[in-house]
Amino acid sequence: MLSLLSKHSSLLLILAAVLGFLFPDWSAQLFPFLPYVLFSLMLFTLIGMQQGVLVKLLAKAEIWRYALFHSVALSVLTTAIASLIGAGSSLLLAISAVAATGSLFATPAIARSVGLEPLKAMAMTIASTLLMPAVLYINLLLFQDDSVTLDLGSYLQRLVIFIFGPMLFSALCYHFVPHQVLHRIHGKLSQVTILLVLAFPFGLIGSFRETFDQSMFNGLFYLLAGLAICALFFIAGYLTYRRQGVDQALLAAITSANRNVLLTFTVAGSYLGPDFLVLMGAIQLPTYCLPLLVKNLSRRLKQAEAFTGSGAQATEHSAK
């Protein structure tokens, strides 16, 4: 049963967002429990990864170049576009906060579900998360008039709980538990991790439904804004990494578009303004449509690449 659900996880993620929108009271009830789901997701994901390899990846310059692209370059790009089209100060502040946000901790599970490299996705996620407080602080200084004091103590505590704690536990497991046993355990846990991800689109979209109920026009506006932001991040990530191959470009695209807005909200709180909570809910549906999009894009792009490659070989052969 788990295998079947995991196989159709891309559709289930979209369904979870739709159900959360249709049943906002249930979504609101799940919201306080999402940090616990997040911890379980990180733990189950990291147990299947060799920590030594992950640390070596984090030591590579390319991972931190990606993190700078994810947080700094996309912050500049999105806020510049938003300013040019006349976005209000509150919406501009919310957009800058989303752009500073690190990638979803669920990204490795999503990457695995669509056939991309989860270990590299985890390294990219951790790097963008570690860079987030500095970029977020600068963005808030630029787009908010009041003095800003981020809850860095809370942020560091969450880094320990959700990243370093699971990494340490996973490292201990690799040291004391036979690798064959871990491999079997991970085979089962990998099917569970993608199911845990379903809690996020369901539990985070409730605030957006409240805005939609108050004004359908405002709801549609925020939905279009969320769709535009996700599309911009996805396309920018894909085009920036296109020369490195289809898989790397799609991994950068989906990692760029996935945003851990729950952690940003927890860290920055009221400094993010009234639009952030609504935008946080509005980006859930477009964000969780991406795995299905990536599955289809990956197949089509690889077919096109293979066709182009075979055509080039045929031309070279005929020329000889």
Side-chain angles (χ1 to χ4, degrees):
M1 185 63 176
L2 279 177
S3 178
L4 180 64
L5 293 176
S6 180
K7 182 179 178 181
H8 298 288
S9 57
S10 298
L11 287 173
L12 291 175
L13 287 169
I14 299 172
L15 180 61
V18 172
L19 290 176
F21 181 82
L22 294 177
F23 302 100
D25 292 339
W26 293 1
S27 175
Q29 290 175 16
L30 179 61
F31 183 81
F33 296 97
L34 289 181
Y36 304 103
V37 179
L38 184 59
F39 175 81
S40 300
L41 176 67
M42 284 295 291
L43 181 60
F44 291 169
T45 301
L46 281 168
I47 282 179
M49 297 179 177
Q50 295 184 11
Q51 299 308 297
V53 179
L54 180 59
V55 171
K56 287 180 181 178
L57 274 176
L58 283 169
K60 289 187 175 182
E62 66 170 302
I63 297 297
W64 293 99
R65 282 196 297 268
Y66 168 78
L68 289 170
F69 163 77
H70 180 104
S71 300
V72 178
L74 291 181
S75 284
V76 173
L77 179 62
T78 51
T79 53
I81 293 174
S83 298
L84 287 173
I85 63 177
S89 58
S90 180
L91 181 59
L92 189 59
L93 176 64
I95 291 172
S96 73
V98 172
T101 298
S103 188
L104 274 175
F105 288 162
T107 298
I110 294 173
R112 179 184 289 109
S113 74
V114 296
L116 300 176
E117 189 179 352
L119 189 62
K120 192 166 188 178
M122 178 62 79
M124 295 161 73
T125 297
I126 292 174
S128 63
T129 301
L130 291 174
L131 195 62
M132 186 191 86
V135 180
L136 180 62
Y137 185 79
I138 293 171
N139 285 359
L140 291 180
L141 285 177
L142 290 173
F143 298 106
Q144 188 183 66
D145 294 331
D146 300 329
S147 60
V148 175
T149 305
L150 293 183
D151 189 359
L152 291 180
S154 175
Y155 181 77
L156 292 174
Q157 182 184 43
R158 280 161 175 75
L159 288 182
V160 171
I161 292 173
F162 296 119
I163 296 182
F164 301 121
M167 285 180 72
L168 176 61
F169 183 82
S170 178
L172 291 173
C173 286
Y174 266 90
H175 183 73
F176 291 107
V177 180
H179 287 188
Q180 290 182 344
V181 176
L182 272 180
H183 183 72
R184 288 200 302 269
I185 292 174
H186 180 252
K188 298 296 182 183
L189 289 179
S190 62
Q191 297 173 358
V192 176
T193 52
I194 193 62
L195 297 181
L196 290 176
V197 180
L198 298 175
F200 295 101
F202 184 87
L204 289 175
I205 204 170
S207 57
F208 168 65
R209 172 61 189 269
E210 293 177 10
T211 300
F212 199 90
D213 288 342
Q214 293 169 3
S215 169
M216 184 178 293
F217 176 81
N218 286 341
L220 290 173
F221 171 78
Y222 281 107
L223 180 60
L224 290 175
L227 178 60
I229 291 170
C230 286
L232 178 62
F233 289 165
F234 186 89
I235 294 170
Y238 181 84
L239 293 178
T240 301
Y241 284 83
R242 180 64 184 89
R243 291 185 178 180
Q244 298 186 20
V246 171
D247 283 348
Q248 181 56 39
L250 289 175
L251 180 61
I254 198 167
T255 306
S256 300
N258 289 341
R259 297 281 162 158
N260 192 3
V261 286
L262 178 62
L263 181 60
T264 302
F265 180 73
T266 303
V267 172
S270 59
Y271 293 108
L272 300 173
D275 281 344
F276 182 82
L277 193 61
V278 183
L279 192 60
M280 180 175 73
I283 66 174
Q284 296 307 305
L285 183 58
T287 294
Y288 289 101
C289 285
L290 292 177
L292 186 61
L293 173 64
V294 168
K295 272 188 176 180
N296 292 325
L297 266 181
S298 179
R299 184 174 63 252
R300 292 174 182 272
L301 289 171
K302 286 179 179 178
Q303 287 175 349
E305 193 174 55
F307 179 78
T308 303
S310 62
Q313 289 178 356
T315 302
E316 183 180 353
H317 180 73
S318 63
K320 292 179 179 180

